[in-house]
DNA sequence: ATGTAAATCGTAATGATTCTTATAGATGGT
DNA sequence: ACCATCTATAAGAATCATTACGATTTACAT
């Protein structure tokens, strides 16, 4: 996923192009890590001092719905990062200090026999948590 | 995990026995599924009409710290269920409607090569989500 | 039985997120 | 380029889950 792909998806789905939306996607494209709504607000308010929290949340939710952003949650806050790829299903090793990620290519759902239960399976979550090298060195 | 084990852990760690704490653990022992703080409050206030939300949250957190309860989160609410066992590491298939669970015995961490990264791994989460048979039938 | 620290209550405070209403701005057609 | 329409945004209020606080009650060791 990159900025132009993201904006193309926006247009295709009938949403309007705004400079704030482009900057929002650009921020995620630069950072390539999980950011909280507050992180995003702090970054965005440098260029747009009066930017509303509502705009942040509304666009984060929209982008997650459009699969432009991936969403997760820790320490009571939702976090978002740019979708790594539209192609291959994968999981993450996540630094809980800075939100940096590494890919985990294997998916635990392959080989789990959940089809023979009365459950209708709708999703799954596999995440490994830790601290990256930089954050260990403070 | 059962009620007497839970109360033994409480005592061993120097916490006081109260009727509310016994009833709280008993509730989880009966339900054997994930409950939100609000679920617990509703159940408990039948017997203790004036019970404070603070008491609920304080004890849920305490019990989770003592590994009497397992904690997770979905739809913006923390959820707790009685720890299945003190012995074997496992994961869950969870009904997002009622909190009912099935065990998943295999752990995806076996076979994931995370030791050769600069990350210090501190934890992981693997959960499968769905709807149980009863909830599908409403 | 008594003293003390912990547990609880009632309520206020907090923090993240969502909602509301009025205004501003993007897009498509002229 | 201009206009109409409909979406996006700002500002602030509202909501929801959770935590904090001061006062009171209770468990339990002595």
């Amino acid at each position: 996923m990159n900025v132009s792909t993201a904006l193309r998806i926006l247009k295709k789905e009938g949403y309007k192009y705004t400079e704030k939306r482009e900057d929002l996607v650009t921020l995620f494209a630069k950072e390539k890590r999980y950011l909280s709504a507050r992180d995003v607000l702090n970054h965005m308010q440098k260029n747009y001092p009066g930017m509303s929290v509502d705009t942040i949340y509304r666009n984060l939710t929209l982008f997650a719905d459009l699969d432009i952003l991936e969403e997760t949650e820790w320490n009571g806050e939702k976090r978002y990062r740019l979708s790594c790829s539209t192609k291959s299903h994968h999981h993450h090793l996540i630094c809980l200090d800075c939100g940096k990620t590494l890919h985990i290519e294997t998916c635990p759902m392959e080989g789990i026999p959940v089809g023979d239960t009365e459950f209708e399976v709708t999703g799954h979550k596999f995440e490994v948590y830790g601290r990256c090298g930089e954050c260990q060195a403070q």
Side-chain angles (χ1 to χ4, degrees), chain A:
Chain A
M1 181 68 65
N2 53 43
V3 176
S4 59
T5 305
L7 296 177
R8 178 155 22 90
I9 292 172
L10 259 190
K11 177 157 197 122
K12 177 163 136 300
E13 299 293 328
Y15 295 99
K16 293 184 175 170
Y17 162 86
T18 69
E19 196 183 9
K20 291 188 178 74
R21 281 178 174 165
E22 177 175 343
D23 284 13
L24 191 59
V25 175
T26 304
L27 169 63
F28 280 101
K30 275 185 195 154
E31 293 289 341
K32 286 185 173 50
R33 60 190 177 96
Y34 277 107
L35 301 172
S36 68
R38 190 140 308 272
D39 292 335
V40 174
L41 187 65
N42 290 340
H43 277 90
M44 293 294 289
Q45 286 193 334
K46 289 176 190 164
N47 297 326
Y48 306 96
M51 189 163 181
S52 167
V53 296
D54 180 67
T55 302
I56 302 289
Y57 281 104
R58 200 164 14 78
N59 284 316
L60 290 177
T61 306
L62 172 64
F63 290 165
D65 286 347
L66 297 175
D67 290 323
I68 294 168
L69 297 179
E70 297 180 39
E71 180 184 321
T72 190
E73 180 274 336
W74 71 83
N75 290 350
E77 282 180 286
K78 286 180 186 153
R79 321 268 176 159
Y80 300 87
R81 64 153 292 149
L82 196 67
S83 290
C84 300
S85 154
T86 53
K87 304 187 185 81
S88 72
H89 177 71
H90 65 279
H91 296 280
H92 280 138
L93 168 52
I94 303 172
C95 174
L96 294 185
D97 282 5
C98 71
K100 201 184 304 171
T101 61
L102 290 179
H103 279 230
I104 298 173
E105 296 300 336
T106 58
C107 174
M109 291 306 281
E110 299 159 12
I112 301 284
V114 287
D116 56 350
T117 73
E118 77 276 20
F119 271 64
E120 171 198 14
V121 173
T122 57
H124 67 282
K125 181 172 195 169
F126 175 48
E127 290 178 339
V128 182
Y129 306 110
R131 295 181 76 210
C132 71
E134 287 178 44
C135 287
Q136 288 175 54
Q138 273 112 21

